[in-house]
Amino acid sequence: MAAFDHLLPILLLLNLMSVSNAAPSTQPPDYTSVDAIFTKYCLDCHASKDPEGELVLESFETLMKGGEIGPAILPGKGADSLLVKMIEGRFEKDGKKKI
């Protein structure tokens, strides 16, 4: 599990996105830590130039759009989101675990 410790901020972000009755914030969210993680661990394969699985992780819009197998994030359903399933090792494609 220690191999995925760097992804904890992403999981926290997804959990915050799933809270539906939170008071609206007057400030835009700060995704600096998520951007740093994506830059270090994800963008080699998931940048806009030839993205693996058509999944681009360069902006909120492309993250929400998802890739060739669907949305990466499901607002309000963090545990069901493809990105969370991949991080936690709960996603398989063609009989193989991905990530």
Side-chain angles (χ1 to χ4, degrees):
M1 192 69 174
F4 296 111
D5 287 347
H6 62 275
L7 298 174
L8 182 61
I10 295 171
L11 294 174
L12 293 173
L13 170 68
L14 294 174
N15 186 44
L16 290 175
M17 289 174 60
S18 69
V19 176
S20 61
N21 58 355
S25 175
T26 57
Q27 295 180 353
D30 181 11
Y31 297 110
T32 306
S33 61
V34 175
D35 182 56
I37 291 167
F38 282 179
T39 299
K40 185 173 181 178
Y41 297 101
C42 307
L43 292 181
D44 283 346
C45 297
H46 295 287
S48 59
K49 184 179 178 184
D50 193 29
E52 184 175 321
E54 302 295 318
L55 178 59
V56 178
L57 301 176
E58 292 180 331
S59 71
F60 180 77
E61 291 77 21
T62 59
L63 179 63
M64 298 306 289
K65 178 182 173 189
E68 66 185 22
I69 57 175
I73 302 292
L74 298 174
K77 298 180 180 181
D80 295 329
S81 294
L82 180 59
L83 185 62
V84 172
K85 287 180 180 181
M86 288 184 156
I87 291 167
E88 293 178 344
R90 298 186 291 125
F91 178 77
E92 290 187 17
K93 184 177 179 186
D94 302 326
K96 297 179 183 177
K97 287 198 180 227
K98 296 294 186 175
I99 202 166

